[in-house]
Amino acid sequence: MLKVAIIGSGPAGYYTAEGLLKQFGSGVEIDIIDRLPTPFGLIRNGVAPDHQSIKAVTRRYEATQIGGNVRFYGNVEIGDALGMDELRQLYHAVVLATGAPQDRPLGIPGDHKPGVIGAAAFVGWYNGHPDHANLNPPLDTEAVAIIGNGNVALDVARVLVKTPEEMAASDLTRHAAERIHDSPIRTIYVIGRRGPLQVHFTPKELGELGALAEAVPLVEPGQLPPEGAERYLDDPGLRKAVGHLRQFAQRRPEEGRRQIRFVFHARPQAVLGGNRAEGLRLERTRLDEAGQAVGTGEVFDLPAGLVISCIGYRTLSIPGVPFDNERGRFLNEDGVIAPGLYCVGWARRGPTGTIGTNRPDGFVIAEKIAAAKLSGERPGRAGLEALLRERDVWAVTFDDWKRIDAAEIARARIGAPREKFVSVEDMLGAAASGEGAE
Ligand code: NAP
């Protein structure tokens, strides 16, 4: 029997399990280990709370748990409860599917002032990630600067301006909903260091901003490329996104409605303010021959009591595992770190692609594990459970998670799918008591 441990229960982890089941059927034992008591990683803690249809993919991951020889071990932190070397002794293969939970640093003067927050922390806060539930972002401001032209920037802008009615069917956590819906925010700047033809936005996500109840997306017409320039772009999605930006350029500020102002060709230079963020100094840019932003020397300031950088993420390193510090992910060759040690998803390739991109990624790792013909006896699950017992670690099972899940659903406000527990203690309490379980 092949014994595999997958570290991380997000999309990359579950697709790898699916790929392994396809390769080995009943000949594989798979243990999915997560440091949180709740499974599904990015789906629960990263995907926007108003994008519930995307979250429905967890049903597919759940199916992996049933029938196959797959077990979930939540609340088990590698490096704390369990060493990496120990794990590698226990299993034929260890797959790191740990995602990229850390913010890429902004690296400009003033970026440590209170009020400058990375997307991992801010999104984690409104999504109820226990690491960020106590973030307390300064939402007592009329202007917010969001840095980056990717979908995370759009998620953050949208969640900040949607009305309580628009968020009614979301699982935005109560603590965040109260703060966001009470905030005096009037203007959100979405800042790109390059231009409209270089955005990473996908058209569906950008188009959503055009249909908000109480906010208007605005683009300065002069910031757009000449009419038709997008015709030469290879990516049809990008062509469509530019079309949305052209529509936004036709809109005008509307009395009483908040504004989402796109600012292109602007590179953050410094966070302004005294003992908290009060604004952002930007330098106008142009594109060089390689299509990269270069400064023109012209600077301008925007007001912002809250600066949220949505400029990409990094994987957390693990002692003893080779790490590419520049790229912020594990050093690997097509997912292989060392014999018997693999990485997958964002931990392998960095924070790019959609959730579905992780499926082929996971399947490739399963094929690589098959090709490696790993042999010999390994203790696997029995060894893991013995170690956890010895160290008095309460590993949360999938049934325990279903009790947490049921309790969250039971305490949801009317119309919402769930009200998440935002502390590990409360999650474990629900797992133990079965409160709200069927
Ligand atoms: P992203 O798509 O890579 O966008 C990052 C943005 O940050 C780019 O515009 C980049 O500009 C900019 N940037 C990087 N470093 C910067 C710096 N030092 N100063 C100023 N700007 C900087 O990343 P993301 O938005 O974090 O998204 C991560 C992945 O998750 C993406 O694949 C995304 O599509 C996916 N996602 C999907 C959804 C969805 O489908 N609904 C939602 C959220 C996230 P340059 O182009 O100049 O480098």
Side-chain angles (χ1 to χ4, degrees), residues 1-5 27-29 87-95 338-342 369 372-380:
M1 171 81 76
L2 182 75
K3 311 216 168 142
V4 182
V28 65
E29 184 181 274
L87 263 186
R88 293 185 66 190
Q89 296 291 324
L90 289 178
Y91 294 90
H92 293 102
V94 175
V95 182
L341 182 61
Y342 303 83
I369 292 175
K373 303 211 178 307
L374 303 162
S375 59
E377 280 300 307
R378 295 292 173 115

Side-chain angles (χ1 to χ4, degrees), residues 348-369:
R348 175 181 81 77
R349 61 175 201 278
T352 59
T354 62
I355 287 158
T357 314
N358 295 300
R359 187 162 184 265
D361 224 68
F363 278 49
V364 164
I365 291 304
E367 281 160 23
K368 284 192 184 289
I369 292 175

Side-chain angles (χ1 to χ4, degrees), residues 192-425:
R193 62 181 173 182
R194 297 193 289 159
L197 297 182
Q198 288 79 34
V199 295
H200 296 214
F201 307 139
T202 49
K204 182 180 161 288
E205 279 62 29
L206 191 58
E208 276 182 74
L209 295 192
L212 295 170
E214 283 183 12
V216 196
L218 298 167
V219 171
E220 287 279 337
Q223 289 229 292
L224 288 173
E227 196 67 43
E230 59 271 32
R231 227 181 10 246
Y232 304 103
L233 296 170
D234 291 336
D235 175 0
L238 183 53
R239 286 202 292 272
K240 220 168 159 190
V242 177
H244 284 304
L245 293 171
R246 291 198 188 282
Q247 283 169 13
F248 298 168
Q250 316 235 321
R251 310 259 317 240
R252 293 287 164 269
E254 292 171 32
E255 183 74 34
R257 298 180 89 190
R258 292 163 161 184
Q259 301 180 1
I260 301 172
R261 291 189 161 270
F262 288 85
V263 180
F264 294 107
H265 294 295
R267 184 164 74 179
Q269 240 189 15
V271 177
L272 307 174
N275 53 10
R276 62 170 277 187
E278 291 169 35
L280 196 59
R281 176 149 302 158
L282 296 138
E283 181 183 18
R284 289 243 174 260
T285 64
R286 60 176 181 77
L287 296 186
D288 66 8
E289 278 174 10
Q292 294 310 307
V294 288
T296 61
E298 186 194 342
V299 296
F300 65 103
D301 297 345
L302 292 176
L306 173 60
V307 176
I308 306 172
S309 66
C310 305
I311 61 169
Y313 301 125
R314 291 168 64 82
T315 294
L316 275 176
S317 60
I318 297 177
V321 180
F323 195 73
D324 181 341
N325 202 34
E326 194 160 318
R327 290 175 162 152
R329 61 188 196 213
F330 295 114
L331 260 181
N332 72 93
E333 210 156 295
D334 288 336
V336 182
I337 300 175
L341 182 61
Y342 303 83
C343 58
V344 68
W346 283 7
R348 175 181 81 77
R349 61 175 201 278
T352 59
T354 62
I355 287 158
T357 314
N358 295 300
R359 187 162 184 265
D361 224 68
F363 278 49
V364 164
I365 291 304
E367 281 160 23
K368 284 192 184 289
I369 292 175
K373 303 211 178 307
L374 303 162
S375 59
E377 280 300 307
R378 295 292 173 115
R381 183 172 296 162
L384 173 72
E385 291 191 351
L387 273 184
L388 293 175
R389 256 196 317 274
E390 191 183 298
R391 289 170 196 176
D392 214 11
V393 177
W394 172 15
V396 167
T397 65
F398 206 77
D399 284 345
D400 291 336
W401 150 244
K402 292 302 286 177
R403 277 191 288 280
I404 301 172
D405 187 33
E408 289 188 341
I409 293 168
R411 68 195 212 116
R413 61 184 186 278
I414 292 168
R418 68 179 62 246
E419 181 62 50
K420 288 177 185 168
F421 293 110
V422 303
S423 75
V424 167
E425 200 185 358

Side-chain angles (χ1 to χ4, degrees), residues 107-119:
I108 57 172
D111 64 358
H112 288 97
K113 285 186 196 295
V116 183
I117 296 174

Side-chain angles (χ1 to χ4, degrees), residues 113-131:
K113 285 186 196 295
V116 183
I117 296 174
F122 192 72
V123 171
W125 170 71
Y126 65 60
N127 270 333
H129 190 299
D131 286 358

